[in-house]
Amino acid sequence: STKACLYELWEAVERVAALFRIFPTNGRAIPISMPNISSLHARAASDAAAAQEEIASSDVRAKAWLATVIVEMNAWKTQSFRQKWFGGIGSLGADAVRQRILRTMNFVDRELLDGIHYVYPADDAVGTSCNGNVIGYVWKWVANEKGYVETSGPICSASESFNRQCGMDRDGKYFVYLCRHWFNNIGANMR
């Protein structure tokens, strides 16, 4: 059976432009949950604003990197990288490893284009995983299935992201929790 892949006009524009490594903006802000900036003192408010700008910049850089990786993988130009990072002894052959990596990269690419809901600083969230050198994390429902499984929850609203462990919002956008370590200790080119 064939399934239709329906896009709104703007989604189609983004996806076609991404093929050419162009990442247009629709003018809408990236969803970021943060403490209320107006209630913070001046220094904390300035840090929060800088973090928001860096999250937006990192989101665009991630789209560019993913587009490059996918183009290179589709052109079969990544064997040496796959061997270096994912090769070695294992039960999967080189083609199966390539397919799994490509599936993951396509998933991340699709979610970046659909929009990620960022939570910063995740250090302040309930059940945080921020400690040591952790730069970020996601929540997901645990499935008994083996292999590749995309989570379908836990579902929360943006206003709940600091008080609950959120996997995705009601629109299907995934929550990505970013720790202060990501902003304070990781260089801009590595974010």
Side-chain angles (χ1 to χ4, degrees):
S1 82
T2 58
K3 293 182 179 179
C5 186
L6 303 175
Y7 294 113
E8 292 182 14
L9 178 60
W10 181 252
E11 292 171 320
V13 167
E14 280 186 311
R15 292 183 192 284
V16 170
L19 295 172
F20 299 95
R21 299 181 185 155
I22 299 169
F23 305 97
T25 179
N26 59 8
R28 285 185 264 155
I30 293 174
I32 304 172
S33 292
M34 299 186 85
N36 185 351
I37 293 176
S38 63
S39 68
L40 301 175
H41 59 78
R43 170 106 167 105
S46 174
D47 290 348
Q52 283 181 314
E53 287 180 27
E54 186 55 37
I55 291 168
S57 294
S58 294
D59 186 84
V60 172
R61 280 194 303 272
K63 289 175 184 175
W65 276 110
L66 258 293
T68 301
V69 168
I70 291 169
V71 165
E72 294 296 307
M73 287 193 77
N74 286 332
W76 293 85
K77 295 181 178 180
T78 59
Q79 183 175 359
S80 63
F81 298 109
R82 288 192 325 265
Q83 183 63 38
K84 178 179 179 179
W85 295 103
F86 302 100
I89 299 172
S91 61
L92 298 177
D95 192 52
V97 170
R98 181 188 176 281
Q99 288 302 316
R100 177 63 174 88
I101 294 168
L102 186 57
R103 185 175 186 184
T104 301
M105 296 299 154
N106 279 319
F107 166 77
V108 173
D109 184 54
R110 181 184 78 222
E111 296 311 320
L112 282 168
L113 289 174
D114 288 346
I116 300 289
H117 189 102
Y118 296 99
V119 179
Y120 180 85
D123 310 62
D124 298 342
V126 168
T128 185
S129 292
C130 295
N131 57 48
N133 290 325
V134 174
I135 60 172
Y137 60 92
V138 296
W139 291 107
K140 69 175 217 136
W141 277 336
V142 177
N144 292 331
E145 300 174 41
K146 293 190 181 220
Y148 184 90
V149 179
E150 293 178 14
T151 191
S152 57
I155 296 174
C156 304
S157 67
S159 63
E160 298 172 301
S161 59
F162 278 99
N163 302 321
R164 292 185 54 206
Q165 298 168 344
C166 301
M168 61 193 331
D169 68 16
R170 286 169 181 76
D171 295 325
K173 292 182 180 182
Y174 287 90
F175 283 89
V176 172
Y177 288 79
L178 296 172
C179 304
R180 283 187 185 97
H181 183 70
W182 169 83
F183 183 69
N184 294 331
N185 300 96
I186 304 298
N189 288 334
M190 297 299 292
R191 291 188 194 129

mmCIF file with all atom_site columns, all heavy atoms in Angstrom, residues 78-98 100-101:
data_model
loop_
_atom_site.group_PDB
_atom_site.id
_atom_site.type_symbol
_atom_site.label_atom_id
_atom_site.label_alt_id
_atom_site.label_comp_id
_atom_site.label_asym_id
_atom_site.label_entity_id
_atom_site.label_seq_id
_atom_site.pdbx_PDB_ins_code
_atom_site.Cartn_x
_atom_site.Cartn_y
_atom_site.Cartn_z
_atom_site.occupancy
_atom_site.B_iso_or_equiv
_atom_site.pdbx_formal_charge
_atom_site.auth_seq_id
_atom_site.auth_comp_id
_atom_site.auth_asym_id
_atom_site.auth_atom_id
_atom_site.pdbx_PDB_model_num
ATOM 1   N N   . THR A 1 78  ? 30.514 7.942  3.191  1.00 0.00 ? 78  THR A N   1
ATOM 2   C CA  . THR A 1 78  ? 30.743 7.970  4.641  1.00 0.00 ? 78  THR A CA  1
ATOM 3   C C   . THR A 1 78  ? 31.340 6.681  5.201  1.00 0.00 ? 78  THR A C   1
ATOM 4   O O   . THR A 1 78  ? 31.410 6.512  6.406  1.00 0.00 ? 78  THR A O   1
ATOM 5   C CB  . THR A 1 78  ? 29.422 8.243  5.371  1.00 0.00 ? 78  THR A CB  1
ATOM 6   O OG1 . THR A 1 78  ? 28.489 7.211  5.042  1.00 0.00 ? 78  THR A OG1 1
ATOM 7   C CG2 . THR A 1 78  ? 28.859 9.607  5.007  1.00 0.00 ? 78  THR A CG2 1
ATOM 8   N N   . GLN A 1 79  ? 31.783 5.784  4.345  1.00 0.00 ? 79  GLN A N   1
ATOM 9   C CA  . GLN A 1 79  ? 32.249 4.489  4.834  1.00 0.00 ? 79  GLN A CA  1
ATOM 10  C C   . GLN A 1 79  ? 33.380 4.621  5.853  1.00 0.00 ? 79  GLN A C   1
ATOM 11  O O   . GLN A 1 79  ? 33.363 3.962  6.887  1.00 0.00 ? 79  GLN A O   1
ATOM 12  C CB  . GLN A 1 79  ? 32.693 3.597  3.684  1.00 0.00 ? 79  GLN A CB  1
ATOM 13  C CG  . GLN A 1 79  ? 33.112 2.213  4.163  1.00 0.00 ? 79  GLN A CG  1
ATOM 14  C CD  . GLN A 1 79  ? 33.439 1.282  3.016  1.00 0.00 ? 79  GLN A CD  1
ATOM 15  O OE1 . GLN A 1 79  ? 33.346 1.657  1.852  1.00 0.00 ? 79  GLN A OE1 1
ATOM 16  N NE2 . GLN A 1 79  ? 33.816 0.075  3.347  1.00 0.00 ? 79  GLN A NE2 1
ATOM 17  N N   . SER A 1 80  ? 34.359 5.485  5.593  1.00 0.00 ? 80  SER A N   1
ATOM 18  C CA  . SER A 1 80  ? 35.485 5.611  6.530  1.00 0.00 ? 80  SER A CA  1
ATOM 19  C C   . SER A 1 80  ? 35.011 6.150  7.880  1.00 0.00 ? 80  SER A C   1
ATOM 20  O O   . SER A 1 80  ? 35.501 5.717  8.931  1.00 0.00 ? 80  SER A O   1
ATOM 21  C CB  . SER A 1 80  ? 36.584 6.512  5.954  1.00 0.00 ? 80  SER A CB  1
ATOM 22  O OG  . SER A 1 80  ? 36.102 7.826  5.762  1.00 0.00 ? 80  SER A OG  1
ATOM 23  N N   . PHE A 1 81  ? 34.050 7.068  7.870  1.00 0.00 ? 81  PHE A N   1
ATOM 24  C CA  . PHE A 1 81  ? 33.516 7.602  9.130  1.00 0.00 ? 81  PHE A CA  1
ATOM 25  C C   . PHE A 1 81  ? 32.698 6.539  9.872  1.00 0.00 ? 81  PHE A C   1
ATOM 26  O O   . PHE A 1 81  ? 32.785 6.404  11.084 1.00 0.00 ? 81  PHE A O   1
ATOM 27  C CB  . PHE A 1 81  ? 32.653 8.836  8.881  1.00 0.00 ? 81  PHE A CB  1
ATOM 28  C CG  . PHE A 1 81  ? 33.408 9.978  8.271  1.00 0.00 ? 81  PHE A CG  1
ATOM 29  C CD1 . PHE A 1 81  ? 33.180 10.334 6.953  1.00 0.00 ? 81  PHE A CD1 1
ATOM 30  C CD2 . PHE A 1 81  ? 34.355 10.681 9.000  1.00 0.00 ? 81  PHE A CD2 1
ATOM 31  C CE1 . PHE A 1 81  ? 33.878 11.375 6.374  1.00 0.00 ? 81  PHE A CE1 1
ATOM 32  C CE2 . PHE A 1 81  ? 35.055 11.726 8.442  1.00 0.00 ? 81  PHE A CE2 1
ATOM 33  C CZ  . PHE A 1 81  ? 34.822 12.075 7.111  1.00 0.00 ? 81  PHE A CZ  1
ATOM 34  N N   . ARG A 1 82  ? 31.891 5.799  9.124  1.00 0.00 ? 82  ARG A N   1
ATOM 35  C CA  . ARG A 1 82  ? 31.102 4.734  9.758  1.00 0.00 ? 82  ARG A CA  1
ATOM 36  C C   . ARG A 1 82  ? 32.023 3.691  10.365 1.00 0.00 ? 82  ARG A C   1
ATOM 37  O O   . ARG A 1 82  ? 31.790 3.204  11.463 1.00 0.00 ? 82  ARG A O   1
ATOM 38  C CB  . ARG A 1 82  ? 30.152 4.084  8.738  1.00 0.00 ? 82  ARG A CB  1
ATOM 39  C CG  . ARG A 1 82  ? 29.004 4.971  8.346  1.00 0.00 ? 82  ARG A CG  1
ATOM 40  C CD  . ARG A 1 82  ? 27.932 4.224  7.568  1.00 0.00 ? 82  ARG A CD  1
ATOM 41  N NE  . ARG A 1 82  ? 28.408 3.184  6.689  1.00 0.00 ? 82  ARG A NE  1
ATOM 42  C CZ  . ARG A 1 82  ? 28.662 3.347  5.385  1.00 0.00 ? 82  ARG A CZ  1
ATOM 43  N NH1 . ARG A 1 82  ? 28.507 4.516  4.820  1.00 0.00 ? 82  ARG A NH1 1
ATOM 44  N NH2 . ARG A 1 82  ? 29.071 2.328  4.658  1.00 0.00 ? 82  ARG A NH2 1
ATOM 45  N N   . GLN A 1 83  ? 33.081 3.353  9.651  1.00 0.00 ? 83  GLN A N   1
ATOM 46  C CA  . GLN A 1 83  ? 34.033 2.363  10.162 1.00 0.00 ? 83  GLN A CA  1
ATOM 47  C C   . GLN A 1 83  ? 34.713 2.875  11.428 1.00 0.00 ? 83  GLN A C   1
ATOM 48  O O   . GLN A 1 83  ? 34.845 2.153  12.408 1.00 0.00 ? 83  GLN A O   1
ATOM 49  C CB  . GLN A 1 83  ? 35.080 2.026  9.099  1.00 0.00 ? 83  GLN A CB  1
ATOM 50  C CG  . GLN A 1 83  ? 36.068 0.957  9.518  1.00 0.00 ? 83  GLN A CG  1
ATOM 51  C CD  . GLN A 1 83  ? 35.405 -0.378 9.788  1.00 0.00 ? 83  GLN A CD  1
ATOM 52  O OE1 . GLN A 1 83  ? 34.480 -0.770 9.094  1.00 0.00 ? 83  GLN A OE1 1
ATOM 53  N NE2 . GLN A 1 83  ? 35.851 -1.066 10.815 1.00 0.00 ? 83  GLN A NE2 1
ATOM 54  N N   . LYS A 1 84  ? 35.100 4.155  11.420 1.00 0.00 ? 84  LYS A N   1
ATOM 55  C CA  . LYS A 1 84  ? 35.785 4.729  12.579 1.00 0.00 ? 84  LYS A CA  1
ATOM 56  C C   . LYS A 1 84  ? 34.875 4.791  13.795 1.00 0.00 ? 84  LYS A C   1
ATOM 57  O O   . LYS A 1 84  ? 35.275 4.421  14.898 1.00 0.00 ? 84  LYS A O   1
ATOM 58  C CB  . LYS A 1 84  ? 36.290 6.134  12.242 1.00 0.00 ? 84  LYS A CB  1
ATOM 59  C CG  . LYS A 1 84  ? 36.972 6.830  13.405 1.00 0.00 ? 84  LYS A CG  1
ATOM 60  C CD  . LYS A 1 84  ? 37.467 8.208  13.017 1.00 0.00 ? 84  LYS A CD  1
ATOM 61  C CE  . LYS A 1 84  ? 38.134 8.906  14.194 1.00 0.00 ? 84  LYS A CE  1
ATOM 62  N NZ  . LYS A 1 84  ? 38.639 10.226 13.830 1.00 0.00 ? 84  LYS A NZ  1
ATOM 63  N N   . TRP A 1 85  ? 33.627 5.271  13.618 1.00 0.00 ? 85  TRP A N   1
ATOM 64  C CA  . TRP A 1 85  ? 32.753 5.529  14.744 1.00 0.00 ? 85  TRP A CA  1
ATOM 65  C C   . TRP A 1 85  ? 31.821 4.374  15.096 1.00 0.00 ? 85  TRP A C   1
ATOM 66  O O   . TRP A 1 85  ? 31.393 4.244  16.236 1.00 0.00 ? 85  TRP A O   1
ATOM 67  C CB  . TRP A 1 85  ? 31.931 6.791  14.502 1.00 0.00 ? 85  TRP A CB  1
ATOM 68  C CG  . TRP A 1 85  ? 32.796 7.998  14.429 1.00 0.00 ? 85  TRP A CG  1
ATOM 69  C CD1 . TRP A 1 85  ? 33.181 8.667  13.308 1.00 0.00 ? 85  TRP A CD1 1
ATOM 70  C CD2 . TRP A 1 85  ? 33.440 8.664  15.510 1.00 0.00 ? 85  TRP A CD2 1
ATOM 71  N NE1 . TRP A 1 85  ? 34.008 9.711  13.621 1.00 0.00 ? 85  TRP A NE1 1
ATOM 72  C CE2 . TRP A 1 85  ? 34.183 9.731  14.985 1.00 0.00 ? 85  TRP A CE2 1
ATOM 73  C CE3 . TRP A 1 85  ? 33.459 8.458  16.888 1.00 0.00 ? 85  TRP A CE3 1
ATOM 74  C CZ2 . TRP A 1 85  ? 34.927 10.591 15.768 1.00 0.00 ? 85  TRP A CZ2 1
ATOM 75  C CZ3 . TRP A 1 85  ? 34.208 9.328  17.667 1.00 0.00 ? 85  TRP A CZ3 1
ATOM 76  C CH2 . TRP A 1 85  ? 34.926 10.375 17.110 1.00 0.00 ? 85  TRP A CH2 1
ATOM 77  N N   . PHE A 1 86  ? 31.470 3.548  14.119 1.00 0.00 ? 86  PHE A N   1
ATOM 78  C CA  . PHE A 1 86  ? 30.499 2.493  14.372 1.00 0.00 ? 86  PHE A CA  1
ATOM 79  C C   . PHE A 1 86  ? 30.988 1.115  13.962 1.00 0.00 ? 86  PHE A C   1
ATOM 80  O O   . PHE A 1 86  ? 30.264 0.140  14.070 1.00 0.00 ? 86  PHE A O   1
ATOM 81  C CB  . PHE A 1 86  ? 29.185 2.787  13.629 1.00 0.00 ? 86  PHE A CB  1
ATOM 82  C CG  . PHE A 1 86  ? 28.579 4.092  14.011 1.00 0.00 ? 86  PHE A CG  1
ATOM 83  C CD1 . PHE A 1 86  ? 28.732 5.207  13.206 1.00 0.00 ? 86  PHE A CD1 1
ATOM 84  C CD2 . PHE A 1 86  ? 27.853 4.214  15.185 1.00 0.00 ? 86  PHE A CD2 1
ATOM 85  C CE1 . PHE A 1 86  ? 28.175 6.425  13.562 1.00 0.00 ? 86  PHE A CE1 1
ATOM 86  C CE2 . PHE A 1 86  ? 27.295 5.426  15.548 1.00 0.00 ? 86  PHE A CE2 1
ATOM 87  C CZ  . PHE A 1 86  ? 27.456 6.528  14.731 1.00 0.00 ? 86  PHE A CZ  1
ATOM 88  N N   . GLY A 1 87  ? 32.204 1.016  13.438 1.00 0.00 ? 87  GLY A N   1
ATOM 89  C CA  . GLY A 1 87  ? 32.723 -0.255 12.940 1.00 0.00 ? 87  GLY A CA  1
ATOM 90  C C   . GLY A 1 87  ? 33.222 -1.137 14.062 1.00 0.00 ? 87  GLY A C   1
ATOM 91  O O   . GLY A 1 87  ? 32.982 -0.912 15.237 1.00 0.00 ? 87  GLY A O   1
ATOM 92  N N   . GLY A 1 88  ? 33.920 -2.176 13.676 1.00 0.00 ? 88  GLY A N   1
ATOM 93  C CA  . GLY A 1 88  ? 34.471 -3.089 14.658 1.00 0.00 ? 88  GLY A CA  1
ATOM 94  C C   . GLY A 1 88  ? 33.631 -4.332 14.796 1.00 0.00 ? 88  GLY A C   1
ATOM 95  O O   . GLY A 1 88  ? 32.759 -4.626 13.979 1.00 0.00 ? 88  GLY A O   1
ATOM 96  N N   . ILE A 1 89  ? 33.900 -5.079 15.819 1.00 0.00 ? 89  ILE A N   1
ATOM 97  C CA  . ILE A 1 89  ? 33.211 -6.349 16.041 1.00 0.00 ? 89  ILE A CA  1
ATOM 98  C C   . ILE A 1 89  ? 31.765 -6.080 16.433 1.00 0.00 ? 89  ILE A C   1
ATOM 99  O O   . ILE A 1 89  ? 31.481 -5.264 17.291 1.00 0.00 ? 89  ILE A O   1
ATOM 100 C CB  . ILE A 1 89  ? 33.928 -7.149 17.146 1.00 0.00 ? 89  ILE A CB  1
ATOM 101 C CG1 . ILE A 1 89  ? 35.360 -7.439 16.699 1.00 0.00 ? 89  ILE A CG1 1
ATOM 102 C CG2 . ILE A 1 89  ? 33.173 -8.430 17.452 1.00 0.00 ? 89  ILE A CG2 1
ATOM 103 C CD1 . ILE A 1 89  ? 36.214 -8.046 17.772 1.00 0.00 ? 89  ILE A CD1 1
ATOM 104 N N   . GLY A 1 90  ? 30.870 -6.784 15.805 1.00 0.00 ? 90  GLY A N   1
ATOM 105 C CA  . GLY A 1 90  ? 29.447 -6.636 16.091 1.00 0.00 ? 90  GLY A CA  1
ATOM 106 C C   . GLY A 1 90  ? 28.652 -7.608 15.241 1.00 0.00 ? 90  GLY A C   1
ATOM 107 O O   . GLY A 1 90  ? 29.165 -8.227 14.317 1.00 0.00 ? 90  GLY A O   1
ATOM 108 N N   . SER A 1 91  ? 27.389 -7.731 15.565 1.00 0.00 ? 91  SER A N   1
ATOM 109 C CA  . SER A 1 91  ? 26.556 -8.699 14.860 1.00 0.00 ? 91  SER A CA  1
ATOM 110 C C   . SER A 1 91  ? 26.006 -8.172 13.545 1.00 0.00 ? 91  SER A C   1
ATOM 111 O O   . SER A 1 91  ? 25.512 -8.951 12.725 1.00 0.00 ? 91  SER A O   1
ATOM 112 C CB  . SER A 1 91  ? 25.395 -9.137 15.761 1.00 0.00 ? 91  SER A CB  1
ATOM 113 O OG  . SER A 1 91  ? 24.599 -8.015 16.090 1.00 0.00 ? 91  SER A OG  1
ATOM 114 N N   . LEU A 1 92  ? 26.073 -6.866 13.312 1.00 0.00 ? 92  LEU A N   1
ATOM 115 C CA  . LEU A 1 92  ? 25.523 -6.284 12.092 1.00 0.00 ? 92  LEU A CA  1
ATOM 116 C C   . LEU A 1 92  ? 26.606 -6.081 11.039 1.00 0.00 ? 92  LEU A C   1
ATOM 117 O O   . LEU A 1 92  ? 27.727 -5.680 11.354 1.00 0.00 ? 92  LEU A O   1
ATOM 118 C CB  . LEU A 1 92  ? 24.864 -4.937 12.390 1.00 0.00 ? 92  LEU A CB  1
ATOM 119 C CG  . LEU A 1 92  ? 23.673 -4.949 13.346 1.00 0.00 ? 92  LEU A CG  1
ATOM 120 C CD1 . LEU A 1 92  ? 23.180 -3.533 13.583 1.00 0.00 ? 92  LEU A CD1 1
ATOM 121 C CD2 . LEU A 1 92  ? 22.551 -5.819 12.798 1.00 0.00 ? 92  LEU A CD2 1
ATOM 122 N N   . GLY A 1 93  ? 26.236 -6.317 9.793  1.00 0.00 ? 93  GLY A N   1
ATOM 123 C CA  . GLY A 1 93  ? 27.144 -6.051 8.685  1.00 0.00 ? 93  GLY A CA  1
ATOM 124 C C   . GLY A 1 93  ? 27.224 -4.566 8.392  1.00 0.00 ? 93  GLY A C   1
ATOM 125 O O   . GLY A 1 93  ? 26.419 -3.766 8.895  1.00 0.00 ? 93  GLY A O   1
ATOM 126 N N   . ALA A 1 94  ? 28.160 -4.182 7.538  1.00 0.00 ? 94  ALA A N   1
ATOM 127 C CA  . ALA A 1 94  ? 28.378 -2.767 7.221  1.00 0.00 ? 94  ALA A CA  1
ATOM 128 C C   . ALA A 1 94  ? 27.126 -2.118 6.636  1.00 0.00 ? 94  ALA A C   1
ATOM 129 O O   . ALA A 1 94  ? 26.795 -0.984 6.972  1.00 0.00 ? 94  ALA A O   1
ATOM 130 C CB  . ALA A 1 94  ? 29.555 -2.622 6.256  1.00 0.00 ? 94  ALA A CB  1
ATOM 131 N N   . ASP A 1 95  ? 26.392 -2.828 5.766  1.00 0.00 ? 95  ASP A N   1
ATOM 132 C CA  . ASP A 1 95  ? 25.194 -2.246 5.168  1.00 0.00 ? 95  ASP A CA  1
ATOM 133 C C   . ASP A 1 95  ? 24.091 -2.047 6.205  1.00 0.00 ? 95  ASP A C   1
ATOM 134 O O   . ASP A 1 95  ? 23.394 -1.043 6.189  1.00 0.00 ? 95  ASP A O   1
ATOM 135 C CB  . ASP A 1 95  ? 24.685 -3.094 4.004  1.00 0.00 ? 95  ASP A CB  1
ATOM 136 C CG  . ASP A 1 95  ? 23.633 -2.355 3.197  1.00 0.00 ? 95  ASP A CG  1
ATOM 137 O OD1 . ASP A 1 95  ? 23.915 -1.204 2.786  1.00 0.00 ? 95  ASP A OD1 1
ATOM 138 O OD2 . ASP A 1 95  ? 22.532 -2.897 3.004  1.00 0.00 ? 95  ASP A OD2 1
ATOM 139 N N   . ALA A 1 96  ? 23.943 -3.004 7.118  1.00 0.00 ? 96  ALA A N   1
ATOM 140 C CA  . ALA A 1 96  ? 22.925 -2.879 8.170  1.00 0.00 ? 96  ALA A CA  1
ATOM 141 C C   . ALA A 1 96  ? 23.259 -1.712 9.097  1.00 0.00 ? 96  ALA A C   1
ATOM 142 O O   . ALA A 1 96  ? 22.360 -0.969 9.523  1.00 0.00 ? 96  ALA A O   1
ATOM 143 C CB  . ALA A 1 96  ? 22.807 -4.177 8.960  1.00 0.00 ? 96  ALA A CB  1
ATOM 144 N N   . VAL A 1 97  ? 24.526 -1.527 9.408  1.00 0.00 ? 97  VAL A N   1
ATOM 145 C CA  . VAL A 1 97  ? 24.952 -0.393 10.244 1.00 0.00 ? 97  VAL A CA  1
ATOM 146 C C   . VAL A 1 97  ? 24.655 0.911  9.511  1.00 0.00 ? 97  VAL A C   1
ATOM 147 O O   . VAL A 1 97  ? 24.112 1.846  10.094 1.00 0.00 ? 97  VAL A O   1
ATOM 148 C CB  . VAL A 1 97  ? 26.451 -0.503 10.605 1.00 0.00 ? 97  VAL A CB  1
ATOM 149 C CG1 . VAL A 1 97  ? 26.958 0.780  11.252 1.00 0.00 ? 97  VAL A CG1 1
ATOM 150 C CG2 . VAL A 1 97  ? 26.690 -1.698 11.525 1.00 0.00 ? 97  VAL A CG2 1
ATOM 151 N N   . ARG A 1 98  ? 24.972 0.966  8.218  1.00 0.00 ? 98  ARG A N   1
ATOM 152 C CA  . ARG A 1 98  ? 24.697 2.161  7.418  1.00 0.00 ? 98  ARG A CA  1
ATOM 153 C C   . ARG A 1 98  ? 23.210 2.480  7.431  1.00 0.00 ? 98  ARG A C   1
ATOM 154 O O   . ARG A 1 98  ? 22.813 3.632  7.632  1.00 0.00 ? 98  ARG A O   1
ATOM 155 C CB  . ARG A 1 98  ? 25.181 1.963  5.987  1.00 0.00 ? 98  ARG A CB  1
ATOM 156 C CG  . ARG A 1 98  ? 24.940 3.173  5.108  1.00 0.00 ? 98  ARG A CG  1
ATOM 157 C CD  . ARG A 1 98  ? 25.262 2.890  3.633  1.00 0.00 ? 98  ARG A CD  1
ATOM 158 N NE  . ARG A 1 98  ? 24.919 4.043  2.843  1.00 0.00 ? 98  ARG A NE  1
ATOM 159 C CZ  . ARG A 1 98  ? 23.680 4.360  2.448  1.00 0.00 ? 98  ARG A CZ  1
ATOM 160 N NH1 . ARG A 1 98  ? 22.664 3.587  2.770  1.00 0.00 ? 98  ARG A NH1 1
ATOM 161 N NH2 . ARG A 1 98  ? 23.451 5.447  1.747  1.00 0.00 ? 98  ARG A NH2 1
ATOM 162 N N   . ARG A 1 100 ? 20.943 1.662  9.626  1.00 0.00 ? 100 ARG A N   1
ATOM 163 C CA  . ARG A 1 100 ? 20.512 2.086  10.973 1.00 0.00 ? 100 ARG A CA  1
ATOM 164 C C   . ARG A 1 100 ? 20.927 3.526  11.249 1.00 0.00 ? 100 ARG A C   1
ATOM 165 O O   . ARG A 1 100 ? 20.159 4.319  11.785 1.00 0.00 ? 100 ARG A O   1
ATOM 166 C CB  . ARG A 1 100 ? 21.098 1.135  12.021 1.00 0.00 ? 100 ARG A CB  1
ATOM 167 C CG  . ARG A 1 100 ? 20.777 1.507  13.449 1.00 0.00 ? 100 ARG A CG  1
ATOM 168 C CD  . ARG A 1 100 ? 19.254 1.449  13.694 1.00 0.00 ? 100 ARG A CD  1
ATOM 169 N NE  . ARG A 1 100 ? 18.934 1.654  15.077 1.00 0.00 ? 100 ARG A NE  1
ATOM 170 C CZ  . ARG A 1 100 ? 18.727 2.851  15.626 1.00 0.00 ? 100 ARG A CZ  1
ATOM 171 N NH1 . ARG A 1 100 ? 18.830 3.939  14.914 1.00 0.00 ? 100 ARG A NH1 1
ATOM 172 N NH2 . ARG A 1 100 ? 18.425 2.953  16.893 1.00 0.00 ? 100 ARG A NH2 1
ATOM 173 N N   . ILE A 1 101 ? 22.148 3.880  10.880 1.00 0.00 ? 101 ILE A N   1
ATOM 174 C CA  . ILE A 1 101 ? 22.625 5.254  11.076 1.00 0.00 ? 101 ILE A CA  1
ATOM 175 C C   . ILE A 1 101 ? 21.805 6.213  10.213 1.00 0.00 ? 101 ILE A C   1
ATOM 176 O O   . ILE A 1 101 ? 21.369 7.270  10.686 1.00 0.00 ? 101 ILE A O   1
ATOM 177 C CB  . ILE A 1 101 ? 24.131 5.370  10.750 1.00 0.00 ? 101 ILE A CB  1
ATOM 178 C CG1 . ILE A 1 101 ? 24.946 4.554  11.756 1.00 0.00 ? 101 ILE A CG1 1
ATOM 179 C CG2 . ILE A 1 101 ? 24.572 6.835  10.750 1.00 0.00 ? 101 ILE A CG2 1
ATOM 180 C CD1 . ILE A 1 101 ? 26.399 4.370  11.347 1.00 0.00 ? 101 ILE A CD1 1
#
